Amino acid sequence: MAELSPQSSADEIVEHLRSIGSEENRLGMLRYGIKIDRALGIPHGIQRQIARKIKRNHERAFKLWASGIMEAQFIASVTADPKRFSAGDARQWASSFDSWDIVDGVSELFVDTDAWKELIGEFAADEREFVRRTAFAMMAWSVVHRKEEPEATFLAFLPIIEAHATDERNFVKKAVNWALRSIGKRSMAMHGAALAVAERLARSTDKTARWNGKNAVKELTDAKTLARIAARNNLTSPISALPR
């Protein structure tokens, strides 16, 4: 088999992926709640290595996605061009999501597109479990990817988080929590707003909202978390930020 390169076709990449798949790894994915029907059992690190080797190719990415193979789809998301990736493309890809790992991987691409904020609102309102998870995974990733984004953008996500904090479906619940904690850790100013939401949820009569709130409060009030936020914001004394 030829060595993969930027000139490799989608078919050649898929053939290579099939050749390195591992049934043992594939079955091991079940322990993490990953759906394996479309998976070959290739670790994420190797998938990223392949993506780096073949480099960006927008047209080929869509052919890889069409294969339906989970690993090929993740590689497609890494090698697609976010500037050419439309909201319609995102809707189409999201409609096939069936496992949390493909959601979280592809959401990194979505937050680099021009339509990312529009998609978050739309996907959060969608009743499909993995489409709704996408909205909150995108919120969490946007904290990392959108470094120049005004804090007001992230603060505007908090009401959406609070509105869906009662969704008891496991993969939505965990993504809502991830988004809330991520926003709270971006800066000290955002920490206070996120912590206020978390504390309100922790007092909720709804079991899922209460879990979301308590879990986020625990991390957002942790001394090590506060120290990291303070260091990121060039503050000298994280102690002053401790909640009273």
Side-chain angles (χ1 to χ4, degrees):
M1 183 179 296
E3 182 77 9
L4 292 181
S5 74
Q7 286 70 48
S8 296
S9 68
D11 286 343
E12 288 170 338
I13 294 163
V14 168
E15 183 184 358
H16 177 75
L17 292 174
R18 289 189 186 281
S19 74
I20 62 171
S22 162
E23 184 64 13
E24 183 181 353
N25 287 347
R26 184 172 168 271
L27 294 174
M29 292 160 67
L30 289 170
R31 293 197 301 272
Y32 301 97
I34 297 172
K35 192 172 181 181
I36 65 169
D37 307 41
R38 302 188 294 110
L40 298 174
I42 302 169
H44 257 284
I46 293 176
Q47 293 176 55
R48 288 192 180 276
Q49 287 174 13
I50 291 170
R52 284 195 294 271
K53 187 175 289 187
I54 64 174
K55 301 194 182 301
R56 182 167 288 170
N57 182 315
H58 195 64
E59 289 74 21
R60 185 184 60 198
F62 280 82
K63 292 177 183 177
L64 287 172
W65 185 270
S67 72
I69 296 168
M70 197 79 80
E71 289 88 348
Q73 291 189 329
F74 174 74
I75 291 168
S77 75
V78 178
T79 57
D81 183 351
K83 295 304 176 190
R84 296 173 59 193
F85 199 85
S86 71
D89 294 331
R91 293 183 190 105
Q92 185 177 4
W93 285 23
S95 69
S96 69
F97 287 163
D98 58 359
S99 187
W100 68 263
D101 61 313
I102 193 66
V103 170
D104 295 2
V106 177
S107 291
E108 283 200 77
L109 165 65
F110 289 1
V111 298
D112 288 337
T113 67
D114 292 338
W116 71 285
K117 285 181 277 191
E118 168 196 345
L119 290 170
I120 283 176
E122 182 180 321
F123 289 163
D126 198 299
E127 288 297 330
R128 290 172 290 180
E129 181 175 10
F130 291 107
V131 177
R132 180 168 288 171
R133 180 184 175 94
T134 304
F136 297 101
M138 287 179 68
M139 289 182 193
W141 281 126
S142 70
V143 170
V144 178
H145 283 241
R146 292 281 176 173
K147 297 187 187 303
E148 304 303 317
E149 191 67 28
E151 290 187 345
T153 298
F154 302 104
L155 294 175
F157 294 151
L158 292 175
I160 303 175
I161 288 172
E162 195 160 6
H164 293 289
T166 56
D167 192 323
E168 64 184 3
R169 292 174 293 182
N170 187 50
F171 296 115
V172 176
K173 177 179 77 170
K174 289 187 174 179
V176 167
N177 190 264
W178 178 23
L180 179 55
R181 290 183 288 107
S182 296
I183 290 171
K185 291 187 288 185
R186 177 166 166 122
S187 72
M188 203 54 79
M190 286 168 52
H191 174 271
L195 181 58
V197 170
E199 288 174 335
R200 204 154 49 239
L201 291 174
R203 296 191 296 269
S204 173
T205 56
D206 181 88
K207 182 175 73 172
T208 304
R210 205 161 53 244
W211 178 86
N212 269 311
K214 288 181 177 179
N215 188 282
V217 166
K218 183 178 179 181
E219 180 163 0
L220 294 178
T221 56
D222 179 77
K224 290 181 180 177
T225 299
L226 288 162
R228 279 193 295 269
I229 301 169
R232 196 177 302 128
N233 285 259
N234 295 316
L235 298 177
T236 55
S237 178
I239 302 302
S240 63
L242 287 168
R244 287 171 168 72

